[in-house]
């Protein structure tokens, strides 16, 4: 095997002679390209007065636009949608290079965001799950303690905050004299882990949550950040704030980090745009949600606002623009009675290790360096943006932790990227269709290998091998046909994991083979286990117990002030209507929080739904949040924050997807300061 050695975590600031000569050559090429944009008279004037240093000192601005949950087929850049409209992204692409194989470092948002800021894999930052809004703060991942009997592997727990010990791109650019501003979503931790502690001078709206606060269209609920008009759209407002920032810093180099809320749930859009797309929606098209299409248009409008401002301020020619998405499109939540979107021709979506979960749109613009209207088929990943920006800016300082990514400048100036492979580490298994066990993957050329941790025979790993050139939809697993290639690629994975010091899944010693069926991977529900006490499929639902309504495959009893939930697998859940609607007091900022004590030996995936007044089903996917349950049989305290756009009049808890017993007590609804708004009496 001729694997490319993995870069060490910490590197010396000096560069080997060969690499240094290659870097110097690229710096020279970049400077020459920029000089071509100058007239001969300007060039001569600069040479006389500055000795050819003025160009280097006139540092370009950097605008980084990161969309949230924007899928590969959610734009018009790749010819894969007939429904959505993104003319401003097309304007952007006409100014630079579009990448057809751009990957996030994770199929979920927080890990990818950590990789962009640090240039490191989530395996190394240890932020591997999007749980950075939860109350428990830790900058380290940890091995899992226990798993349910239907799971072959014990999943590790993710860090819940980005470690301030990492040097970020904002810190490095600020050290170089850049003004640094962050706008929009963060989701890497609240104070003291906010953008202000990671190198940004400005953070608007200074919001740590996983998505927009309550809604896109006002009224919303951000601390000290109120709408300026009654129905202001948050993306319009974020774009306006970014415009004001560029106007303020037009005469100095700035780094504008615009991480959009769009198009993350909750699914909410301008009524006039929804009405517009209702007229053209085709139910035979897998993309036919008018609300989601309207959200795409508002996102695209915000991109156009930034482009218009750069042109108006006459700084577009001296500005690097990067546009990307943090993970694949969300095709599992429903809106308008249909899936939010489709990532076809890719398989899967957000939270999966298939292409639809990690492959998305990307465009890079740098006038005078990147040829307008070009396309590139080289593989790039979100860990590459940090080293690429440094090379484009001709900054030779490097972060103390080094890089897992590489500079993609060779591709931007018409060459090829020198790298053998990229890696995606995702040791979790969210409860969605297209689910996979905890996994890690490698892309090398047209080949992609997914290792499923400890899901083979006798605790060994299991593999999925795809040739993406021939099978972009990942329909045919070729692992059995190419065993030598599997061994070679898996050795590269192992080397990567060891170098990154990744906290890994481990075999579950309590695994029961009778409770697992590998053929059910990719199905919405795991294997059900029959039990004598199980309710027959056609029998009526169980009667309410203390106001709680059990549904699915579970029964509820009461014991010593606690709900005892007996699950036989599938989709057990229980709900409780509130006698009065509950909302945050006017003086309270932040989310509502459902708090409870829970003991479980069932599958460790949970979901909270909340009900508000209005038409449609009482509990909908866009009004839900996932949370992880520790299934070790011990009592644990849980605090689940959520953002309701209207008073809450009911909640539903989905505590498991496998058989087992769950005990839940001390249920109360509070604000973020633990002030009680409603307490459930269980007796």
């Amino acid at each position: 095997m001729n694997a490319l050695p993995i870069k060490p975590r910490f590197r010396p600031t000096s560069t080997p002679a060969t690499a240094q000569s290659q870097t110097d050559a690229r710096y020279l090429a970049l400077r020459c390209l920029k000089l071509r944009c100058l007239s001969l008279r300007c060039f001569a004037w600069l040479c006389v007065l500055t000795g050819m240093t003025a160009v280097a000192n006139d540092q370009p601005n950097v605008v980084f636009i990161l969309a949230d949950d924007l899928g590969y087929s959610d734009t018009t850049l790749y010819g894969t949608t007939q429904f959505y409209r993104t003319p401003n992204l097309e304007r952007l692409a006409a100014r630079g290079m579009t990448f057809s194989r751009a990957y996030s470092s994770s199929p979920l948002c927080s890990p990818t965001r950590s990789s962009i800021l640090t240039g490191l894999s989530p395996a190394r930052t240890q932020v591997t799950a999007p749980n950075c809004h939860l109350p428990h703060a830790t900058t380290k991942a940890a091995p899992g303690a226990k798993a349910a009997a239907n799971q072959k592997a014990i999943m590790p727990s993710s860090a819940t905050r980005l470690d301030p010990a990492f040097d970020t791109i904002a810190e490095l650019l600020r050290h170089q004299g850049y003004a640094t501003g962050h706008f929009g979503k963060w989701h890497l931790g609240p104070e003291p882990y906010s953008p202000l502690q990671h190198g940004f001078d400005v953070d608007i709206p200074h919001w740590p949550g996983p998505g927009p606060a309550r809604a896109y269209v006002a009224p919303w609920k951000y601390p000290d950040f109120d709408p300026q008009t009654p129905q202001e759209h948050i993306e319009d407002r974020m774009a306006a704030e970014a415009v004001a920032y560029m106007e303020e810093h037009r005469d100095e180099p700035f780094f504008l980090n615009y991480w959009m809320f769009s198009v993350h749930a909750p699914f909410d859009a301008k009524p006039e745009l929804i009405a517009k797309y209702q007229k053209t929606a085709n139910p035979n098209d897998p993309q036919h949600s008018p609300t989601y299409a309207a959200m795409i248009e508002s996102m695209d409008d915000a991109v156009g606002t930034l482009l218009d401002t750069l042109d108006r301020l006459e700084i577009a020619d001296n500005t690097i623009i990067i546009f990307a998405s943090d993970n694949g499109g969300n095709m599992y939540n429903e809106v308008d009675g249909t899936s939010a979107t489709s990532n076809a021709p890719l398989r899967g979506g957000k939270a999966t290790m298939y292409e639809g979960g990690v492959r998305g749109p990307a465009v890079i613009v740098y006038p005078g360096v990147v040829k307008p209207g070009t396309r590139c088929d080289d593989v790039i990943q979100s860990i590459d943006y940090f080293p690429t920006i440094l090379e484009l800016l001709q900054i030779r300082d490097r972060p103390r932790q080094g890089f897992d990514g590489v500079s993609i400048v060779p591709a931007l100036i018409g060459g090829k990227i020198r790298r053998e492979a990229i890696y995606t580490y995702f040791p979790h298994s969210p409860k969605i269709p297209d689910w996979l066990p905890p996994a890690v993957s490698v892309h090398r050329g047209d080949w992609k290998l997914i290792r499923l941790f400890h899901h083979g025979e006798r605790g060994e790993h299991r593999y999925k091998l795809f040739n993406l050139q021939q099978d972009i939809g990942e329909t045919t697993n070729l692992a059995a046909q190419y065993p030598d290639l599997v061994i070679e690629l898996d050795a590269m994975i192992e080397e990567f994991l060891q170098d990154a010091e990744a906290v890994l899944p481990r075999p579950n010693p309590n695994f029961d083979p009778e409770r697992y069926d590998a053929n059910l991977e990719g199905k919405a529900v795991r294997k059900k286990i029959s039990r004598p006490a199980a309710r027959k499929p056609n029998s009526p639902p169980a009667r309410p117990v203390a106001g709680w309504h059990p549904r699915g495959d579970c029964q509820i009893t009461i014991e010593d002030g606690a709900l005892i939930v007996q699950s036989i697998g599938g989709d057990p859940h229980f709900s409780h209507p509130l006698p009065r609607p509950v909302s945050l007091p006017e003086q309270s900022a932040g989310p509502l929080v459902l708090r409870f004590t829970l003991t479980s030996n069932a599958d460790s995936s949970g979901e909270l739904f909340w009900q508000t007044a209005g038409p449609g089903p009482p509990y909908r996917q866009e009004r839900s949040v996932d949370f992880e349950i520790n299934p070790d049989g011990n009592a644990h305290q849980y605090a689940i924050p959520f953002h309701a756009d209207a008073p809450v009049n009911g909640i539903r808890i989905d505590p498991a997807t496998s058989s087992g017993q769950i005990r839940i007590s001390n249920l109360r609804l509070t604000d973020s300061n633990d002030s009680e708004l409603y307490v459930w009496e269980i007796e």
Side-chain angles (χ1 to χ4, degrees):
M1 180 187 71
N2 296 318
L4 185 68
I6 304 297
K7 298 182 178 69
R9 179 171 180 177
F10 297 98
R11 295 176 188 80
T13 55
S14 60
T15 308
T18 302
Q20 184 68 56
S21 63
Q22 293 173 347
T23 302
D24 288 343
R26 288 210 294 266
Y27 283 156
L28 180 59
L30 284 169
R31 178 170 293 187
C32 289
L33 283 167
K34 289 299 290 180
L35 290 177
R36 289 174 194 166
C37 298
L38 302 172
S39 68
L40 290 177
R41 174 193 287 181
C42 183
F43 173 67
W45 182 80
L46 287 171
C47 289
V48 170
L49 294 183
T50 67
M52 302 261 320
T53 62
V55 175
N57 291 334
D58 186 18
Q59 285 293 80
N61 309 304
V62 179
V63 174
F64 196 114
I65 308 171
L66 184 70
D68 193 356
D69 291 356
L70 187 70
Y72 178 81
S73 294
D74 285 351
T75 77
T76 50
L77 298 178
Y78 304 104
T80 53
T81 181
Q82 302 298 317
F83 187 40
Y84 306 143
R85 295 291 177 266
T86 53
N88 290 302
L89 284 181
E90 292 180 22
R91 283 175 60 198
L92 185 70
R95 300 184 182 200
M97 179 174 286
T98 302
F99 289 84
S100 63
R101 299 188 66 188
Y103 290 90
S104 57
S105 293
S106 170
L108 288 174
C109 64
S110 296
T112 296
R113 293 163 190 268
S114 77
S115 75
I116 291 170
L117 286 176
T118 65
L120 299 177
S121 166
R124 206 183 297 276
T125 68
Q126 301 190 32
V127 178
T128 56
N131 55 5
C132 295
H133 58 289
L134 298 181
H136 177 62
T138 176
T139 59
K140 302 297 180 184
K146 190 176 181 181
N150 72 331
Q151 295 183 8
K152 289 189 174 186
I154 300 175
M155 295 178 283
S157 63
S158 168
T160 63
R161 306 290 188 266
L162 178 62
D163 194 335
F166 292 124
D167 288 337
T168 68
I169 185 171
E171 290 171 324
L172 199 148
L173 291 185
R174 184 165 67 178
H175 181 69
Q176 297 289 328
Y178 275 72
T180 57
H182 176 82
F183 296 82
K185 177 173 172 176
W186 175 245
H187 206 198
L188 288 170
E191 297 276 1
Y193 303 92
S194 80
L196 300 180
Q197 286 83 44
H198 283 287
F200 291 98
D201 304 318
V202 172
D203 177 28
I204 298 175
H206 198 55
W207 175 245
R214 297 193 177 187
Y216 282 89
V217 179
W220 57 61
K221 191 74 173 180
Y222 298 96
D224 303 318
F225 190 73
D226 297 325
Q228 296 176 329
T229 59
Q231 290 188 310
E232 186 175 36
H233 193 284
I234 187 59
E235 218 62 82
D236 291 345
R237 177 66 176 278
M238 285 293 95
E241 297 286 347
V243 166
Y245 184 81
M246 290 190 289
E247 290 174 339
E248 180 182 356
H249 297 284
R250 62 183 297 179
D251 295 324
E252 61 180 317
F254 61 78
F255 172 41
L256 171 63
N257 201 50
Y258 181 12
W259 285 4
M260 296 177 153
F261 290 112
S262 300
V263 283
H264 192 283
F267 300 109
D268 175 40
K270 298 176 182 178
E272 64 272 19
L273 291 183
I274 296 175
K276 167 186 170 182
Y277 285 100
Q278 284 174 337
K279 298 175 182 178
T280 59
N282 178 0
N284 296 320
D285 186 336
Q287 296 173 325
H288 62 270
S289 164
T291 300
Y292 193 79
M295 294 173 71
I296 293 284
E297 180 164 331
S298 289
M299 175 215 68
D300 186 72
D301 286 344
V303 173
T305 297
L306 266 61
L307 292 180
D308 291 343
T309 301
L310 291 170
D311 291 343
R312 175 173 57 82
L313 298 178
E314 299 182 346
I315 56 176
D317 287 344
N318 196 40
T319 300
I320 298 165
I321 305 174
I322 297 176
F323 177 89
S325 179
D326 64 350
N327 50 247
N330 182 355
M331 57 181 285
Y332 302 125
N333 289 141
E334 289 190 1
V335 57
D336 300 329
T338 183
S339 174
T341 191
S342 168
N343 296 313
L346 307 183
R347 179 177 180 178
K350 173 183 177 179
T352 76
M353 288 290 280
Y354 295 117
E355 291 291 282
V358 292
R359 191 166 170 174
V363 178
I364 298 181
V365 174
Y366 188 13
V369 172
V370 180
K371 186 177 180 180
T374 52
R375 300 179 76 87
C376 180
D377 296 328
D378 285 4
V379 171
I380 66 171
Q381 197 174 27
S382 54
I383 54 175
D384 298 335
Y385 296 128
F386 191 166
T388 299
I389 289 171
L390 292 189
E391 183 160 358
L392 288 175
L393 298 178
Q394 302 178 33
I395 295 173
R396 304 203 180 201
D397 286 354
R398 291 295 182 269
R400 289 168 293 180
Q401 69 265 8
F403 289 126
D404 288 321
V406 302
S407 170
I408 61 175
V409 165
L412 295 175
I413 60 177
K416 302 292 289 183
I417 301 171
R418 292 192 176 188
R419 171 174 48 202
E420 188 170 7
I422 63 168
Y423 304 88
T424 307
Y425 180 58
F426 189 58
H428 307 287
S429 184
K431 185 178 61 176
I432 55 170
D434 294 307
W435 68 274
L436 285 173
V440 60
S441 71
V442 57
H443 285 74
R444 188 181 74 176
D446 294 330
W447 291 100
K448 175 182 177 181
L449 180 72
I450 303 176
R451 175 204 279 188
L452 306 176
F453 285 102
H454 308 298
H455 274 69
E457 297 297 325
R458 298 176 298 279
E460 297 177 352
H461 304 315
R462 186 155 54 85
Y463 301 94
K464 291 177 177 285
L465 178 69
F466 303 103
N467 186 304
L468 299 176
Q469 176 65 31
Q470 301 172 0
D471 181 21
I472 194 173
E474 297 173 286
T475 60
T476 304
N477 183 5
L478 301 175
Q481 298 180 37
Y482 296 94
D484 291 342
L485 182 58
V486 170
I487 293 172
E488 181 180 351
L489 294 176
D490 191 52
M492 295 173 65
I493 286 176
E494 187 64 27
E495 187 177 2
F496 158 73
L497 293 173
Q498 290 184 15
D499 180 82
E501 300 178 356
V503 180
L504 301 175
R506 57 190 183 87
N508 181 9
N510 298 317
F511 173 67
D512 181 356
E514 294 298 321
R515 300 192 180 194
Y516 188 85
D517 185 352
N519 293 323
L520 293 180
E521 285 174 14
K523 307 300 189 298
V525 180
R526 292 174 171 86
K527 183 178 181 180
K528 296 183 180 181
I529 308 301
S530 298
R531 292 289 183 269
R535 177 173 55 85
K536 294 182 180 180
N538 296 324
S539 63
R543 293 182 178 179
V545 178
W548 291 94
H549 298 258
R551 294 288 188 273
D553 299 301
C554 71
Q555 296 178 340
I556 293 181
T557 57
I558 293 178
E559 178 182 295
D560 298 329
L563 294 176
I564 308 299
V565 183
Q566 190 67 46
S567 166
I568 64 166
D571 184 25
H573 58 271
F574 45 95
S575 61
H576 192 293
L578 299 178
R580 57 176 176 79
V582 174
S583 59
L584 285 171
E586 284 298 324
Q587 66 272 20
S588 296
L592 291 164
V593 183
L594 183 68
R595 303 177 190 270
F596 51 87
T597 303
L598 184 142
T599 304
S600 176
N601 60 8
D603 188 9
S604 59
S605 294
E607 194 166 10
L608 166 67
F609 292 79
W610 60 94
Q611 176 183 345
T612 60
Y619 297 107
R620 290 183 273 179
Q621 198 68 46
E622 59 263 32
R623 294 197 295 259
S624 70
V625 293
D626 294 330
F627 62 96
E628 291 298 318
I629 291 176
N630 190 332
D632 63 2
N634 298 318
H636 296 278
Q637 304 298 319
Y638 294 84
I640 315 301
F642 63 97
H643 302 279
D645 56 5
V648 174
N649 54 26
I651 67 163
R652 167 181 145 178
I653 300 175
D654 294 30
T657 55
S658 72
S659 61
Q661 187 180 88
I662 299 101
R663 179 187 179 94
I664 186 167
S665 60
N666 302 321
L667 266 157
R668 53 199 179 95
L669 194 60
T670 75
D671 65 11
S672 58
N673 295 319
D674 203 14
S675 297
E676 292 182 348
L677 305 175
Y678 185 82
V679 178
W680 281 266
E681 295 183 0
I682 301 175
E683 56 185 14

